[in-house]
Amino acid sequence: MANPVIMPRQGQSVESCILTEWKVQPGDTVAEGDVLAVIETDKASFDLESTASGTVLELFWEADDDVPVLANVIAIGAEGENIDDLRPATESASATALPATSSTPESSAVQSTVAADQSPASAPVDLSTTSHVPSSGVSPRARKKAMNLGVDAETLVGTGPGGRVIERDVDAFLAGTPRLSAAARVRAKEQGLEAPVRGSGIAGMALASDMRQPGAIEGAEVEPVKGIRKLIAERMMQSLQGTAQLTLHSSFDVTNCQKYRKKRLADGESKVSINDLIAQAILAALQNHPEMNAHFLGDRLAVFHEVNLGIAVDSPRGLMVPVVQEASKMSLEMLSSEIKKKAIACREGTIQPDDLSGGTFTLTNLGMLGVENFTPVLNVPEIAILGVGGISLKPKKNEEGEVSFVDQISLSLTIDHQAIDGAPAARFIQTLVNHLENHPGENPQKIEGEE
């Protein structure tokens, strides 16, 4: 009896996964535990492993399909077994014919008809997208001119009476498309390729070697936006379109933080980074300003008792934001250790989906890349995110009025103005800076509250 392999649930908040790459094809023999495909959530990538042994009978989805969790993905069994009852109910018609890898005349015809419907009748028509569009006849003059110039008049959209192709239709087509050689015309029809603005042949004729995929751009390598990159793009646009983002800028004197780090090493304690000290300072500031530790839900504002701190991580697969759960209960050593573990898991691709959700406040740091200031984008529905820049030498006046140059780090706090005003956000930054300059390394509960 054939067995299905289902799309596993990668965390409680994940409803679907993108199937980015198949590792097997129908007819392959697999064993339990073999990698069948690579799948992605909106945050991380995973291997889909086989839960059965046998022959791959059918792949129910194509690469880049968004597959619901718990849906059947593939059928494995003995050759010739019936698998009709295993096909997922939501399977698209195109997903049942995975082995096909080239365009057929029928599919080209459908694409050509759609392209023609979306274009004005009088516009120049691309041969590659209209290679099977029927016309209502071709005038003798248009046919003769088209033959002399290497154009198939039957592929043009006519603007004459009843859709008849007339001479001006040939001229309009040639205005936007070079003449095609015989081999180029074959490639255009059979492979759905298009010509560049000017070919490499005599008088700009397009040769077979000039033909390219539709949408190609001269001098550039064009790749589709997909997978995590596509999801990140969608999330960023949702964030900017659905929130009223305001960014406040400040900086702090890093002198005491540097002294504290050196003292820890001299005392034989574990090494901590400036980023760790900033993360702990966020926890201290949120104790005094809990209204910043919240989600804005349109008609509701959820203010959380504990801080689940998101840490933006640059991984090989794109931006990820692992969450340190209940960070507000941790000592500096625990916090530093958890941040390192989450970052390593993101970069190695072993982070779990549940570790990438549930944040209440986010920290993002580009200082190590030499960036002094930037405007972070909210990780909705959170109402605040803190951006950290690099160290720079800046003048500072002391109480006696003397000016000296000290190392300072810039801070950029983006808030959702729908949920919080500028003044309380500014007070949050004041508390944060005070902790970093005067109390680095102290646990949040040791800092007295502020009004």
Side-chain angles (χ1 to χ4, degrees):
M1 178 178 177
N3 297 295
V5 177
I6 67 170
M7 178 63 70
R9 183 181 291 280
Q10 299 288 348
Q12 295 301 315
S13 61
V14 178
E15 297 181 355
S16 64
C17 300
I18 296 175
L19 197 157
T20 58
E21 179 186 1
W22 279 110
K23 295 292 188 181
V24 296
Q25 291 297 322
D28 291 349
T29 301
V30 297
E32 187 172 345
D34 286 353
V35 176
L36 303 176
V38 178
I39 58 177
E40 288 183 353
T41 66
D42 60 342
K43 299 292 186 180
S45 177
F46 308 90
D47 289 335
L48 176 65
E49 296 183 354
S50 178
T51 56
S53 298
T55 300
V56 176
L57 302 178
E58 189 166 330
L59 313 180
F60 295 133
W61 305 86
E62 296 184 11
D64 295 329
D65 277 349
D66 196 0
V67 184
V69 297
L70 307 183
N72 290 348
V73 179
I74 183 174
I76 297 174
E79 289 188 18
E81 284 189 286
N82 189 298
I83 57 171
D84 290 342
D85 59 336
L86 299 183
R87 289 192 175 89
T90 57
E91 181 182 352
S92 64
S94 63
T96 61
L98 276 179
T101 57
S102 60
S103 299
T104 63
E106 290 78 13
S107 64
S108 299
V110 173
Q111 295 171 357
S112 302
T113 303
V114 172
D117 290 343
Q118 294 175 342
S119 303
S122 60
V125 181
D126 183 3
L127 179 61
S128 67
T129 59
T130 59
S131 57
H132 295 275
V133 177
S135 66
S136 298
V138 181
S139 72
R141 290 186 61 179
R143 188 181 300 280
K144 182 178 180 180
K145 187 168 189 176
M147 288 183 61
N148 292 337
L149 295 174
V151 176
D152 185 353
E154 297 293 340
T155 66
L156 304 184
V157 175
T159 60
R164 184 180 179 84
V165 176
I166 56 180
E167 188 175 12
R168 72 182 181 205
D169 298 323
V170 179
D171 293 336
F173 172 79
L174 292 171
T177 306
R179 288 192 301 149
L180 305 185
S181 67
R185 287 200 301 274
V186 171
R187 296 197 69 184
K189 292 180 180 180
E190 294 183 353
Q191 301 179 30
L193 302 182
E194 67 180 13
V197 175
R198 182 177 176 82
S200 59
I202 298 175
M205 176 181 286
L207 307 179
S209 58
D210 296 324
M211 304 304 286
R212 59 191 185 183
Q213 293 293 332
I217 299 175
E218 194 74 31
E221 184 177 338
V222 179
E223 297 181 355
V225 178
K226 58 183 180 180
I228 289 181
R229 184 71 265 158
K230 182 177 181 179
L231 291 167
I232 290 174
E234 292 172 352
R235 293 287 175 86
M236 292 298 100
M237 286 304 297
Q238 290 171 3
S239 175
L240 291 170
Q241 292 174 350
T243 57
Q245 301 198 20
L246 169 69
T247 303
L248 289 72
H249 301 282
S250 185
S251 61
F252 71 95
D253 181 349
V254 75
T255 302
N256 284 338
C257 287
Q258 293 170 328
K259 288 180 179 178
Y260 175 78
R261 296 179 67 214
K262 291 179 181 178
K263 184 177 183 302
R264 283 185 63 90
L265 292 178
D267 293 343
E269 297 183 85
S270 61
K271 183 179 180 180
V272 296
S273 66
I274 294 292
N275 198 62
D276 296 334
L277 295 176
I278 294 173
Q280 190 192 47
I282 290 173
L283 303 179
L286 288 175
Q287 278 205 345
N288 295 295
H289 306 279
E291 69 278 6
M292 302 290 294
N293 187 45
H295 285 180
F296 181 68
L297 305 173
D299 58 350
R300 296 173 296 155
L301 186 63
V303 180
F304 295 90
H305 302 298
E306 300 294 339
V307 181
N308 295 334
L309 185 62
I311 306 293
V313 175
D314 177 30
S315 79
R317 304 198 67 81
L319 175 66
M320 294 186 178
V321 186
V323 177
V324 179
Q325 301 289 339
E326 297 189 336
S328 45
K329 294 182 178 180
M330 295 181 178
S331 65
L332 176 59
E333 290 77 11
M334 292 175 60
L335 181 63
S336 175
S337 176
E338 281 300 305
I339 291 174
K340 289 182 177 68
K341 287 180 182 177
K342 303 285 187 183
I344 290 172
C346 285
R347 295 184 180 113
E348 293 181 348
T350 59
I351 192 73
Q352 297 301 306
D354 285 345
D355 291 331
L356 296 164
S357 61
T360 59
F361 190 104
T362 294
L363 167 63
T364 177
N365 191 334
L366 292 178
M368 70 288 293
L369 297 177
V371 174
E372 291 189 8
N373 295 281
F374 66 102
T375 302
V377 177
L378 284 173
N379 190 18
V380 292
E382 296 171 23
I383 69 167
I385 180 173
L386 181 71
V388 180
I391 297 177
S392 57
L393 199 61
K394 294 182 180 180
K396 183 178 180 180
K397 184 184 292 187
N398 60 24
E399 295 179 355
E400 289 74 30
E402 298 174 340
V403 177
S404 60
F405 283 85
V406 298
D407 285 335
Q408 295 199 30
I409 290 180
S410 63
L411 301 173
S412 300
L413 178 71
T414 295
I415 61 170
D416 187 347
H417 216 325
Q418 297 175 105
I420 197 78
D421 292 331
R427 287 191 284 270
F428 168 83
I429 293 182
Q430 283 183 327
T431 303
L432 180 67
V433 169
N434 176 60
H435 186 97
L436 288 166
E437 291 186 342
N438 302 306
H439 308 283
E442 294 186 20
N443 289 331
Q445 59 266 29
K446 293 183 180 179
I447 305 302
E448 297 182 358
E450 297 180 358
E451 293 296 322

